[in-house]
Amino acid sequence: MRQIVLDTETTGIDPREGHRLIEIGAVEMVNRRLTGRSYHQYINPERPIEEEAISVHGITNERVADEPVFAEVADAFWAFIEGAELVIHNAPFDVGFIDHELTRLNRVRGEPSLGPVAEHCRILDTLQLARDKHPGQRNSLDALCKRYEIDNGHRVLHGALLDAEILADVYLAMTGGQTALLLDPSAASEGSGARGIQRRPVALEPGRLAVTAPSEAELDAHRHKLARIRESAGECVWDGVEGIPH
């Protein structure tokens, strides 16, 4: 199963008030393992970012002034998420903003249109999942990291890609405990700034493995052990194994 763990940052709270996306971060999982593929993009929202929002994510108007507008990155983003199950913390917020951007884009482009998200992707809201598992408790991403002992000490401000990576760990912990594991070191990252962890295979040459033979004292102790087993049980299953000293 292909899943995309996704997070966004925005200029404000409500797209109906004209607020826009300014950052998208997403990481890909297949069969509950990170593949190394990710999407990360800052976006010029074509409007000012509210000060309250800046205090949360730290992204300023100057930071995104030279970034592409959503219309320029929409196709690459859509290609990355289409057909997958989206794993999102407080999914209605992020999906609402994505659909708002797609609707704006479709008005200008016409056919063929992109979206809406729910018609092309399954959506799993980890906030609702956490509320079902932990009713009456705090279920913010930070609270879940603490509950599941996931290190988020590097998370000072919100950031879409960082939060997506942390959410992948939280989701796996909540749904079975499998840790996020990058399997494909050659997988390409997409967008403007994705990061990943690489693994380095160790090559073992045939005939180079060290084999340590048992000493005579160890063999003698082994024979005495088997003898005690025969005496106690009347037989020893090791007697039928070829190559085992009796």
Short mmCIF file of all heavy atoms in Angstrom, two decimals, residues 134-172:
data_model
loop_
_atom_site.label_atom_id
_atom_site.label_comp_id
_atom_site.label_asym_id
_atom_site.label_seq_id
_atom_site.Cartn_x
_atom_site.Cartn_y
_atom_site.Cartn_z
N HIS A 134 -6.96 7.59 22.33
CA HIS A 134 -6.63 8.26 23.60
C HIS A 134 -7.68 9.33 23.92
O HIS A 134 -7.37 10.52 23.93
CB HIS A 134 -5.25 8.91 23.51
CG HIS A 134 -4.17 7.99 23.01
ND1 HIS A 134 -3.70 6.93 23.75
CD2 HIS A 134 -3.49 7.97 21.84
CE1 HIS A 134 -2.77 6.29 23.05
NE2 HIS A 134 -2.62 6.91 21.89
N PRO A 135 -8.92 8.92 24.14
CA PRO A 135 -9.98 9.92 24.38
C PRO A 135 -9.70 10.74 25.64
O PRO A 135 -9.22 10.22 26.65
CB PRO A 135 -11.23 9.05 24.55
CG PRO A 135 -10.74 7.69 24.92
CD PRO A 135 -9.42 7.54 24.23
N GLY A 136 -9.99 12.02 25.53
CA GLY A 136 -9.84 12.91 26.68
C GLY A 136 -8.42 13.37 26.95
O GLY A 136 -8.18 14.09 27.91
N GLN A 137 -7.47 12.96 26.11
CA GLN A 137 -6.08 13.36 26.30
C GLN A 137 -5.66 14.35 25.21
O GLN A 137 -6.33 14.49 24.19
CB GLN A 137 -5.16 12.13 26.25
CG GLN A 137 -5.47 11.10 27.32
CD GLN A 137 -4.50 9.94 27.27
OE1 GLN A 137 -3.28 10.13 27.27
NE2 GLN A 137 -5.01 8.72 27.22
N ARG A 138 -4.53 15.04 25.44
CA ARG A 138 -3.98 15.92 24.42
C ARG A 138 -3.42 15.08 23.29
O ARG A 138 -2.69 14.11 23.52
CB ARG A 138 -2.89 16.82 25.00
CG ARG A 138 -3.39 17.83 26.01
CD ARG A 138 -2.27 18.71 26.52
NE ARG A 138 -1.69 19.52 25.44
CZ ARG A 138 -0.47 19.34 24.94
NH1 ARG A 138 0.31 18.37 25.39
NH2 ARG A 138 -0.03 20.13 23.97
N ASN A 139 -3.77 15.44 22.06
CA ASN A 139 -3.35 14.64 20.92
C ASN A 139 -2.69 15.48 19.84
O ASN A 139 -2.77 15.15 18.66
CB ASN A 139 -4.55 13.87 20.35
CG ASN A 139 -5.00 12.75 21.28
OD1 ASN A 139 -4.23 11.85 21.58
ND2 ASN A 139 -6.24 12.83 21.75
N SER A 140 -2.03 16.57 20.26
CA SER A 140 -1.22 17.32 19.32
C SER A 140 -0.04 16.46 18.90
O SER A 140 0.28 15.44 19.53
CB SER A 140 -0.71 18.61 19.96
OG SER A 140 0.20 18.31 21.01
N LEU A 141 0.66 16.87 17.84
CA LEU A 141 1.82 16.11 17.39
C LEU A 141 2.89 16.05 18.47
O LEU A 141 3.50 14.99 18.70
CB LEU A 141 2.38 16.73 16.10
CG LEU A 141 3.43 15.90 15.35
CD1 LEU A 141 2.91 14.51 15.03
CD2 LEU A 141 3.85 16.62 14.07
N ASP A 142 3.11 17.15 19.16
CA ASP A 142 4.10 17.15 20.25
C ASP A 142 3.68 16.20 21.37
O ASP A 142 4.52 15.48 21.93
CB ASP A 142 4.27 18.56 20.80
CG ASP A 142 5.07 19.46 19.86
OD1 ASP A 142 5.86 18.92 19.06
OD2 ASP A 142 4.91 20.69 19.93
N ALA A 143 2.39 16.22 21.72
CA ALA A 143 1.91 15.35 22.79
C ALA A 143 2.06 13.88 22.41
O ALA A 143 2.43 13.04 23.24
CB ALA A 143 0.45 15.67 23.11
N LEU A 144 1.79 13.55 21.14
CA LEU A 144 1.92 12.17 20.69
C LEU A 144 3.39 11.73 20.66
O LEU A 144 3.70 10.57 20.97
CB LEU A 144 1.28 12.01 19.31
CG LEU A 144 -0.24 12.13 19.29
CD1 LEU A 144 -0.75 12.17 17.86
CD2 LEU A 144 -0.89 10.98 20.06
N CYS A 145 4.27 12.65 20.30
CA CYS A 145 5.70 12.32 20.34
C CYS A 145 6.12 11.95 21.76
O CYS A 145 6.86 10.98 21.97
CB CYS A 145 6.53 13.51 19.84
SG CYS A 145 6.48 13.74 18.05
N LYS A 146 5.65 12.70 22.72
CA LYS A 146 5.98 12.41 24.12
C LYS A 146 5.38 11.07 24.55
O LYS A 146 6.03 10.26 25.21
CB LYS A 146 5.47 13.53 25.02
CG LYS A 146 5.84 13.36 26.48
CD LYS A 146 5.40 14.57 27.30
CE LYS A 146 5.80 14.42 28.76
NZ LYS A 146 5.39 15.59 29.57
N ARG A 147 4.14 10.84 24.14
CA ARG A 147 3.45 9.60 24.55
C ARG A 147 4.13 8.37 23.97
O ARG A 147 4.23 7.33 24.63
CB ARG A 147 1.98 9.67 24.09
CG ARG A 147 1.12 8.51 24.57
CD ARG A 147 -0.34 8.79 24.25
NE ARG A 147 -0.77 10.03 24.88
CZ ARG A 147 -1.62 10.90 24.32
NH1 ARG A 147 -2.12 10.66 23.12
NH2 ARG A 147 -1.96 12.01 24.94
N TYR A 148 4.58 8.47 22.72
CA TYR A 148 5.19 7.32 22.06
C TYR A 148 6.72 7.36 22.07
O TYR A 148 7.36 6.59 21.36
CB TYR A 148 4.67 7.22 20.62
CG TYR A 148 3.22 6.77 20.56
CD1 TYR A 148 2.20 7.70 20.39
CD2 TYR A 148 2.88 5.44 20.71
CE1 TYR A 148 0.87 7.30 20.35
CE2 TYR A 148 1.56 5.02 20.67
CZ TYR A 148 0.55 5.96 20.48
OH TYR A 148 -0.76 5.57 20.45
N GLU A 149 7.28 8.29 22.87
CA GLU A 149 8.72 8.38 23.06
C GLU A 149 9.46 8.56 21.74
O GLU A 149 10.45 7.89 21.45
CB GLU A 149 9.24 7.16 23.81
CG GLU A 149 8.62 7.01 25.20
CD GLU A 149 9.18 5.82 25.96
OE1 GLU A 149 9.77 4.93 25.33
OE2 GLU A 149 9.04 5.79 27.20
N ILE A 150 8.96 9.48 20.93
CA ILE A 150 9.59 9.82 19.65
C ILE A 150 10.32 11.15 19.81
O ILE A 150 9.73 12.14 20.26
CB ILE A 150 8.53 9.90 18.53
CG1 ILE A 150 7.95 8.51 18.29
CG2 ILE A 150 9.12 10.49 17.26
CD1 ILE A 150 6.74 8.48 17.40
N ASP A 151 11.58 11.18 19.46
CA ASP A 151 12.41 12.36 19.64
C ASP A 151 11.99 13.46 18.65
O ASP A 151 12.09 13.28 17.44
CB ASP A 151 13.88 12.01 19.43
CG ASP A 151 14.79 13.23 19.61
OD1 ASP A 151 14.33 14.22 20.19
OD2 ASP A 151 15.94 13.16 19.16
N ASN A 152 11.51 14.58 19.18
CA ASN A 152 11.21 15.74 18.33
C ASN A 152 11.90 16.98 18.87
O ASN A 152 11.43 18.10 18.71
CB ASN A 152 9.69 15.96 18.24
CG ASN A 152 9.09 16.40 19.57
OD1 ASN A 152 9.66 16.12 20.62
ND2 ASN A 152 7.95 17.08 19.52
N GLY A 153 13.06 16.77 19.50
CA GLY A 153 13.79 17.88 20.09
C GLY A 153 14.27 18.89 19.08
O GLY A 153 14.51 20.05 19.42
N HIS A 154 14.41 18.47 17.81
CA HIS A 154 14.85 19.38 16.76
C HIS A 154 13.69 20.20 16.20
O HIS A 154 13.87 21.00 15.30
CB HIS A 154 15.51 18.59 15.63
CG HIS A 154 14.73 17.40 15.16
ND1 HIS A 154 14.23 16.44 16.00
CD2 HIS A 154 14.35 17.02 13.93
CE1 HIS A 154 13.59 15.51 15.30
NE2 HIS A 154 13.64 15.85 14.05
N ARG A 155 12.48 20.00 16.76
CA ARG A 155 11.30 20.70 16.25
C ARG A 155 11.04 21.93 17.12
O ARG A 155 10.27 21.89 18.06
CB ARG A 155 10.10 19.76 16.26
CG ARG A 155 8.82 20.36 15.65
CD ARG A 155 7.70 19.32 15.74
NE ARG A 155 6.51 19.73 15.05
CZ ARG A 155 5.37 20.11 15.64
NH1 ARG A 155 5.31 20.15 16.97
NH2 ARG A 155 4.32 20.46 14.94
N VAL A 156 11.69 23.04 16.79
CA VAL A 156 11.47 24.29 17.51
C VAL A 156 10.28 25.02 16.93
O VAL A 156 9.37 25.45 17.64
CB VAL A 156 12.74 25.17 17.45
CG1 VAL A 156 12.50 26.49 18.18
CG2 VAL A 156 13.92 24.43 18.06
N LEU A 157 10.27 25.18 15.61
CA LEU A 157 9.13 25.75 14.90
C LEU A 157 8.51 24.67 14.03
O LEU A 157 9.14 23.66 13.72
CB LEU A 157 9.58 26.93 14.01
CG LEU A 157 10.10 28.17 14.74
CD1 LEU A 157 10.70 29.14 13.73
CD2 LEU A 157 8.99 28.85 15.53
N HIS A 158 7.25 24.89 13.63
CA HIS A 158 6.62 23.98 12.69
C HIS A 158 7.31 24.11 11.34
O HIS A 158 7.69 25.20 10.92
CB HIS A 158 5.13 24.31 12.54
CG HIS A 158 4.32 23.97 13.74
ND1 HIS A 158 3.53 22.85 13.81
CD2 HIS A 158 4.18 24.62 14.92
CE1 HIS A 158 2.93 22.82 15.00
NE2 HIS A 158 3.32 23.88 15.69
N GLY A 159 7.45 23.01 10.64
CA GLY A 159 7.95 22.99 9.27
C GLY A 159 7.31 21.82 8.59
O GLY A 159 7.23 20.73 9.16
N ALA A 160 6.84 21.99 7.35
CA ALA A 160 6.02 20.96 6.72
C ALA A 160 6.76 19.64 6.54
O ALA A 160 6.23 18.57 6.87
CB ALA A 160 5.49 21.47 5.37
N LEU A 161 7.97 19.67 6.03
CA LEU A 161 8.69 18.41 5.80
C LEU A 161 9.09 17.75 7.11
O LEU A 161 8.92 16.55 7.29
CB LEU A 161 9.91 18.65 4.92
CG LEU A 161 10.70 17.38 4.56
CD1 LEU A 161 9.83 16.39 3.79
CD2 LEU A 161 11.94 17.72 3.77
N LEU A 162 9.61 18.54 8.05
CA LEU A 162 9.99 17.99 9.35
C LEU A 162 8.78 17.38 10.05
O LEU A 162 8.85 16.27 10.59
CB LEU A 162 10.61 19.07 10.22
CG LEU A 162 10.95 18.67 11.67
CD1 LEU A 162 11.94 17.53 11.70
CD2 LEU A 162 11.48 19.87 12.43
N ASP A 163 7.66 18.08 10.03
CA ASP A 163 6.46 17.57 10.68
C ASP A 163 5.95 16.31 9.99
O ASP A 163 5.43 15.39 10.65
CB ASP A 163 5.36 18.64 10.71
CG ASP A 163 5.60 19.68 11.78
OD1 ASP A 163 6.63 19.59 12.48
OD2 ASP A 163 4.77 20.60 11.93
N ALA A 164 6.08 16.24 8.67
CA ALA A 164 5.67 15.02 7.96
C ALA A 164 6.54 13.84 8.37
O ALA A 164 6.04 12.73 8.57
CB ALA A 164 5.74 15.25 6.45
N GLU A 165 7.83 14.07 8.50
CA GLU A 165 8.74 12.99 8.91
C GLU A 165 8.43 12.51 10.34
O GLU A 165 8.44 11.32 10.63
CB GLU A 165 10.19 13.47 8.80
CG GLU A 165 10.63 13.69 7.37
CD GLU A 165 11.98 14.40 7.26
OE1 GLU A 165 12.38 15.05 8.25
OE2 GLU A 165 12.62 14.31 6.22
N ILE A 166 8.18 13.48 11.23
CA ILE A 166 7.83 13.12 12.61
C ILE A 166 6.49 12.39 12.65
O ILE A 166 6.32 11.39 13.35
CB ILE A 166 7.79 14.38 13.50
CG1 ILE A 166 9.20 14.95 13.66
CG2 ILE A 166 7.18 14.07 14.87
CD1 ILE A 166 9.24 16.30 14.37
N LEU A 167 5.52 12.88 11.85
CA LEU A 167 4.21 12.25 11.83
C LEU A 167 4.30 10.81 11.33
O LEU A 167 3.54 9.94 11.79
CB LEU A 167 3.25 13.05 10.96
CG LEU A 167 1.83 12.50 10.84
CD1 LEU A 167 1.16 12.37 12.21
CD2 LEU A 167 0.98 13.37 9.91
N ALA A 168 5.21 10.53 10.40
CA ALA A 168 5.38 9.15 9.92
C ALA A 168 5.75 8.24 11.09
O ALA A 168 5.21 7.14 11.24
CB ALA A 168 6.45 9.10 8.83
N ASP A 169 6.68 8.69 11.94
CA ASP A 169 7.07 7.90 13.11
C ASP A 169 5.90 7.72 14.07
O ASP A 169 5.68 6.64 14.62
CB ASP A 169 8.23 8.57 13.83
CG ASP A 169 9.55 8.43 13.09
OD1 ASP A 169 9.68 7.49 12.29
OD2 ASP A 169 10.45 9.26 13.31
N VAL A 170 5.15 8.81 14.30
CA VAL A 170 4.01 8.75 15.21
C VAL A 170 2.95 7.79 14.68
O VAL A 170 2.42 6.95 15.41
CB VAL A 170 3.42 10.16 15.41
CG1 VAL A 170 2.05 10.08 16.11
CG2 VAL A 170 4.36 11.03 16.23
N TYR A 171 2.64 7.90 13.40
CA TYR A 171 1.62 7.04 12.79
C TYR A 171 2.01 5.57 12.91
O TYR A 171 1.18 4.72 13.29
CB TYR A 171 1.43 7.42 11.33
CG TYR A 171 0.67 6.39 10.54
CD1 TYR A 171 -0.70 6.19 10.73
CD2 TYR A 171 1.33 5.58 9.61
CE1 TYR A 171 -1.39 5.22 10.03
CE2 TYR A 171 0.65 4.61 8.90
CZ TYR A 171 -0.71 4.43 9.11
OH TYR A 171 -1.39 3.47 8.42
N LEU A 172 3.26 5.24 12.60
CA LEU A 172 3.69 3.85 12.69
C LEU A 172 3.64 3.35 14.13
O LEU A 172 3.27 2.20 14.38
CB LEU A 172 5.11 3.73 12.13
CG LEU A 172 5.23 3.94 10.61
CD1 LEU A 172 6.69 4.02 10.19
CD2 LEU A 172 4.52 2.83 9.85
#
